[in-house]
Amino acid sequence: MSTSTRPAIHHLGHGPRQRGTRFDLGRALLACGLLYAVLYPVANDAIAATAYEGYDRMSQAVSELSATGAPTRTFLMVLAPVFVLLQVGFGVGIWRAADGRRSVRIAGALMVAHGVTSLLWIVAPMSRREVIAAGGSTSADTMHLVLAAATGLFVAAYVAVLAFGFGWRFRVYSALTLATALVFGSLSAQVERIEAGDPTPWMGLLERVGMGAWLLWMVVVAVVLLRRDRARDEVAAAEVSARSHSARPRPSGPRLTGRRAARSRAARRVSVSRTRVPSR
């Protein structure tokens, strides 16, 4: 009996550990979304914007920090592959956490595609606004505008698709996120004013509001999926514990309580003392 029950208990005991190890990678990938949402504004608005003398966060676009000839371009280009890896990793994490839901898988795939496409920003920087105003735009500026439009489409696609993978509250939140990102993003697209050399007093603020809504959405998605993953692990651990408890051999016969149990224990002690061989 002892040889037949121990392997089963040993196997059950490894259940939650194997499940937890398997989901460690998924949690790390989902955490990429959190890291991206924090690192992006820190790198651009806290570090690069501070190092760029004369740069105005309220009136200038984020892209101007990495524009051709900008003093902060090298710093941001070094970080560009990091942002790509974080976004691709987050997309893979969403895919892995789909749990059979097609909309979540599609959203994860779109996030990965968005991350891969972001590599093109390296070869498509915008020119500095004084160069554009002087008529010095290049093909890179045109490609920059195309990438900006593609980014809006990607964001709209995976925010809308992922909304169908959860409840109505998340759908409402996704709709508000999408509306904020698209409306403020459209208001910040003041290409004509830059080409004319006119000031753009609120362009930077409008763009940052739209981007902030998108980054906050990434945080919410990561937290929601991480909580669901942890809840699945807790349910699995509880099931394994219940199975392990039910697999333990139980003593046969009626259970003794109170005085009967005390008398039984005393009788066993006397029996053991009588059968004990005295040491010489």
Side-chain angles (χ1 to χ4, degrees):
M1 291 296 292
S2 61
T3 57
S4 62
T5 56
R6 287 181 182 176
I9 295 173
H10 179 75
H11 174 73
L12 289 170
H14 279 275
R17 185 177 300 178
Q18 289 178 350
R19 185 173 180 86
T21 302
R22 185 176 64 188
F23 278 93
D24 282 346
L25 177 59
R27 289 170 182 165
L29 292 172
L30 291 174
C32 288
L34 298 174
L35 188 57
Y36 184 101
V38 173
L39 183 60
Y40 190 89
V42 168
N44 284 276
D45 280 341
I47 300 177
T50 302
Y52 193 157
E53 186 177 356
Y55 180 84
D56 186 4
R57 296 175 180 85
M58 295 294 102
S59 63
Q60 291 184 261
V62 176
S63 296
E64 294 185 61
L65 293 168
S66 57
T68 303
T72 51
R73 173 171 172 76
T74 302
F75 167 71
L76 293 176
M77 288 303 98
V78 170
L79 291 178
V82 177
F83 289 124
V84 171
L85 290 176
L86 290 176
Q87 192 169 5
V88 170
F90 186 47
V92 175
I94 294 175
W95 173 281
R96 286 171 55 95
D99 198 18
R101 289 166 292 182
R102 182 178 299 178
S103 59
V104 180
R105 286 188 175 181
I106 295 174
L110 289 170
M111 180 70 73
V112 171
H114 185 196
V116 173
T117 306
S118 298
L119 281 170
L120 297 176
W121 289 109
I122 299 176
V123 296
M126 68 173 291
S127 301
R128 299 178 71 170
R129 60 170 53 208
E130 56 267 24
V131 174
I132 296 176
S137 299
T138 64
S139 58
D141 290 289
T142 303
M143 188 174 180
H144 188 89
L145 295 176
V146 172
L147 286 176
T151 297
L153 292 176
F154 271 124
V155 172
Y158 54 67
V159 170
V161 171
L162 191 61
F164 291 97
F166 300 99
W168 66 270
R169 292 182 180 179
F170 185 80
R171 293 178 186 178
V172 172
Y173 171 70
S174 297
L176 293 175
T177 298
L178 190 57
T180 302
L182 293 180
V183 170
F184 282 86
S186 300
L187 293 174
S188 66
Q190 303 179 19
V191 181
E192 296 81 5
R193 298 182 65 87
I194 294 177
E195 291 177 343
D198 295 334
T200 55
W202 302 110
M203 184 179 71
L205 177 61
L206 294 172
E207 182 184 31
R208 282 166 172 81
V209 171
M211 293 181 67
W214 166 59
L215 294 174
L216 181 60
W217 177 86
M218 292 180 67
V219 172
V220 172
V221 171
V223 170
V224 168
L225 293 178
L226 284 170
R227 286 182 175 178
R228 284 173 174 259
D229 183 66
R230 182 178 299 176
R232 283 195 297 266
D233 275 0
E234 291 176 354
V235 171
E239 291 177 353
V240 169
S241 178
R243 292 175 184 174
S244 176
H245 181 73
S246 62
R248 295 175 183 174
R250 296 181 179 179
S252 58
R255 185 178 180 182
L256 301 177
T257 59
R259 294 182 179 180
R260 291 184 179 181
R263 292 174 182 175
S264 178
R265 289 195 295 270
R268 285 198 298 269
R269 286 196 295 269
V270 171
S271 177
V272 170
S273 63
R274 289 178 177 177
T275 56
R276 209 176 271 173
V277 178
S279 58
R280 295 181 180 178

